[in-house]
Amino acid sequence: MALWTMILRKMASNKWLQLNLWFGLTICVALFSSMPLYSDAILQRTLTKELQEIQHQSGVYPGFMRISTSVSSSVMDEKTTSAISRADQFAASIPERTGIEAMSSYQQRKTHKMKVYGADASDQEKKIQKTTGIFKSLSDMEKRVKLTEGRMPLDRQDGVFEALVTQKFLLSVKRGLGDELLMVSPEADRSTFRVIPVGLIETDPAADPYLPYLTTDEENGFLIPFEQFEREFIEGGKARLTELEWRFALNYEQLTVEKTGQFTKAATDVKRYFRGKLGVEEVNIPATETVASYEGKQKKLDLMMLSLYVPVMMMLAFYIYMSANLIIDRQKTEIAVLRSRGASRFQIMCIYVLESTLLGISALAVGPILGVWFTKILGASNGFLEFVQRSALEISLSSDAYRIAVIAVTGAILLILIPAFLASKVSIVSHKQQSARLAHTPFWYKAGIDFLLVGISLYLLYNFNKRQADLKRLALDSELLQMDPLVFLIPALFILGGGLLVLRVYPWLIRIIYVSGKKWWSPPLYSSLVQISRSSGQYLTINVFLIMTVATGIFSANAARTINDNLDSKIKYSVGTDIVITSKWESNALPPVNMASAAQTGSANSEFTEQRRVQYTEPPFTPFEELEGAESVAKVFRKEEARFSAKESGTSGKVELIGINTLEFGNTAWMKNGLMDYPLNSYLNLIAPNPKAVLISRSLADKAKLEPGDTISVAWDGLNQIPLTVYGIIDYWPSWNPLAVSRDAEGKGTDPFLIVGHLSTIQNRLAIEPYEVWLKLKDGVSSQDIYTQLEQSKVPVTSLRDATQELVRSVNDPFRMAINGVMTLGFVISMLICFFGFLLFWTLTLAGRSLQYGVLRAMGMPFRHIIGMLVSEQMLTSVAAVLIGVMIGNVTSERFVPLFEMSFATTDQVPPFQITYQLSDYLQVYGIIGSMLIIGLTVISFRLSRTRIAEALRLGEE
């Protein structure tokens, strides 16, 4: 008890330092616990939405699972019966295997087809009757079908089958309910079954909203009681089975990210089990591909978040160590006294372990709750320091969050104990000796840590740039490579190393300023220059804080802005406008021909089929022009397999041909500025007056050695080539990818070629074929408005690309949200840490220099000059650190933001990756940092104004 009393008194005597240390521990816990919370919540929400999208697109319940297998055995022997029983048992275990509860399930059995006619049918009727039917059974039949007439069948033991039938089937056999029918097997034994239809059924969607039984799937058949089917046909073997089927509606909302591996394995096991077990199997699990894509995604997201958190973690570690070191510095005399009185280092360390553990436990109590708030910030971020109204993440504290929080606290406690361990070996004598000595040169200064960090980061930058050049040269997909966490780590190393490197030189700059004008400086500025030049080491901590905060903020802002802008530009460029629609065109195209039958036809017919051109009928374009909310509409014809020839060079080959109307295209298309030598409309105006004028890609110009004014011929599918005149050479064009798909080891590959011409010329002199319709929407008009109008106009849409919807999906991507959220959250946390560290540092500095200020006041220096000293000191330290941070942040952005290009597919990165700067981001960073400095300076000035000069002088006398 006495030990705890001493610990609590020690903590109370340094309550403000302890509070700062606890704050750092709590932020550390919150930060680490937010990683699993965010990855769980965002991936779970994305998974659920993608599963719901399956239902939206295909109309199938996301948890739907259908297993069907034929029965190859023609005889129901004991082996086949046993195999069916085992298959039933396996199917019943599927929900348990997937780890998901079955909302609904049923199974069906079907026999082979038999001829059906009335029991009273004449011989003539038996000959002309062509209706066939099957016996089928359905589990829980009474609950799944809707009885429209008659009654439910009974399980009879007299050889007669009572059955349910559809109205269509009953009409085909020309009998009514209650009339006896005969089913004759086509097998050699010509088995005959007596059947009496006793009820008419139809699909009842209300009976099972998850898994309705559709009577339209197999209308020609008799639905008999499940138990009777089992007894007569599976155990009795009276008819040959053709199909067994099991269907499940699994509760997809129970499918968590952690269960994706289990679900995928279960789906694989199902396919493996039924493959050839009884016959030909068919397993349909629509969610498999979506679920499989999430395997390992959580680990990648956690790794990326951990890498993104590196800068703020470094600041947290620095802050925690600084706070702990300040506490130990104030207690070194006490530690030395304890050591001199016989206390062992172990006993002293036990005291600090208990003290740190107490702080850690209190941080664990609050940190995870704060981590939930951090996670909500991550989910709402839309860019650097940008937030949107997005549906809140469903967050619940998990064991993983607490486990990681405990690990974080343990590591922080070990960091806290380092200063205590170093101080515990000092006796009272050695402590007094150290106190009397001048300050030592910092370890990083003597060891050259700054040079080492900058050198390592530049070396890694060189390797990454070399790797990126190889990816581009070979046209490889960088997404196939695992994202290296060093992409996010090395900028933090460069910022820290660059900051220390500048701080190595900065004291010399202050001395130069001091010496160059010491005869003219005002007293406040003179005193500040002397103080800083003689004690530059004591400002190191706050300077590093400010430099890292500002540089990290600017780097984060530029990185987030660049990533967001490039992702958005990539989508807009690939689509070309807001919405691209292809409607159905009528044609005289022949239906698809079966290859086996085609092989048996004459060669003349085959040649005729190959040479015969398809003639298309252009649908009305008016419905598109009359769309309300469409600012402009354009026709864009694309022919990817066109052919060109250039007589000047004798070159020919494949080319993509695009036909446009220049005015409509210029008003509709989207093009990023700076991609071409001149704006897009300048090229359109260039070719507008001449119907034969075309633009060609630079790859085609280099290949065919063409220049403006040369002639190039183009056609496709056996058409006569038409001559066109080259008016301009372009590098990019909306929706066209100029990058090669792949290259060999020497970097050689086939670059795509492009010709852009007039649509009217192509249609009049070549052929009229289907074109795309490009729509540019007015501001405030949603895509759904356009969809509704197209549906009302009954426009048959065959394909559609919506840039707005693709942008929304991209913004909601978990990895993109994590980048934006972590960079925003990291900067906010850095600012909080820096603010508290700023106040802590200057408050302790003022407390330590009370005697100095008291002497200056006693000598007659006005209070405004004292404030002037403080402001001058702030300008030469804090403001200078901010300016250094801005410089380092810009250099870091220039050098290291391009590394994020490795997170994009190099074969699809059009427009090219480009660093994006925005003035508003800088203003936000400057505004927040400026507010922090103003608030801190105001608090410090207030504390200084409350200082009692007489007490300071009395303290000096003592």
Side-chain angles (χ1 to χ4, degrees), residues 743-806:
R743 297 182 185 273
D744 57 21
E746 298 179 357
K748 297 180 180 180
T750 303
D751 292 317
F753 303 138
L754 174 69
I755 297 177
V756 180
H758 290 269
L759 177 62
S760 57
T761 301
I762 295 172
Q763 290 183 333
N764 293 333
R765 302 192 59 184
L766 288 172
I768 298 178
E769 291 196 1
Y771 51 73
E772 298 173 348
V773 179
W774 287 25
L775 302 175
K776 180 180 180 181
L777 306 185
K778 296 179 181 178
D779 293 338
V781 178
S782 66
S783 303
Q784 187 60 45
D785 296 336
I786 302 298
Y787 301 159
T788 303
Q789 294 180 61
L790 291 174
E791 186 176 357
Q792 292 173 351
S793 302
K794 297 182 179 179
V795 176
V797 177
T798 57
S799 67
L800 183 145
R801 283 198 69 183
D802 189 337
T804 303
Q805 297 302 318
E806 293 187 21

Side-chain angles (χ1 to χ4, degrees), residues 704-716:
K705 297 180 174 57
L706 294 173
E707 295 180 354
D710 293 341
T711 300
I712 186 172
S713 300
V714 66
W716 70 85

Side-chain angles (χ1 to χ4, degrees), residues 414-482:
L414 293 176
L415 189 65
I416 292 171
L417 293 176
I418 293 175
F421 179 78
L422 295 176
S424 64
K425 66 178 181 180
V426 179
S427 65
I428 187 65
V429 176
S430 58
H431 172 62
K432 291 298 183 181
Q433 290 175 342
Q434 291 179 3
S435 300
R437 293 171 185 163
L438 296 175
H440 292 285
T441 304
F443 172 75
W444 68 268
Y445 193 97
K446 294 186 293 184
I449 299 297
D450 47 350
F451 293 106
L452 182 63
L453 292 176
V454 172
I456 291 175
S457 57
L458 291 178
Y459 174 74
L460 293 174
L461 174 64
Y462 169 78
N463 283 339
F464 276 111
N465 286 335
K466 184 179 178 181
R467 173 176 159 187
Q468 185 66 21
D470 291 340
L471 290 174
K472 289 182 177 180
R473 180 174 58 84
L474 300 177
L476 297 177
D477 189 350
S478 62
E479 289 183 343
L480 299 176
L481 303 174
Q482 186 176 1

Side-chain angles (χ1 to χ4, degrees), residues 509-577:
L509 179 62
I510 295 294
R511 289 170 188 168
I512 293 174
I513 295 174
Y514 163 71
V515 172
S516 62
K518 63 180 179 180
K519 295 181 180 180
W520 300 282
W521 301 134
S522 62
L525 183 56
Y526 183 90
S527 177
S528 299
L529 288 170
V530 171
Q531 176 67 30
I532 295 173
S533 61
R534 292 178 179 178
S535 306
S536 59
Q538 70 175 0
Y539 301 99
L540 176 64
T541 302
I542 193 61
N543 286 342
V544 171
F545 262 148
L546 288 171
I547 289 172
M548 288 195 66
T549 301
V550 176
T552 301
I554 290 177
F555 173 77
S556 299
N558 292 333
R561 182 70 61 183
T562 298
I563 291 172
N564 291 325
D565 181 75
N566 280 274
L567 287 173
D568 292 346
S569 297
K570 177 180 175 181
I571 292 172
K572 292 177 182 178
Y573 181 90
S574 65
V575 178
T577 186

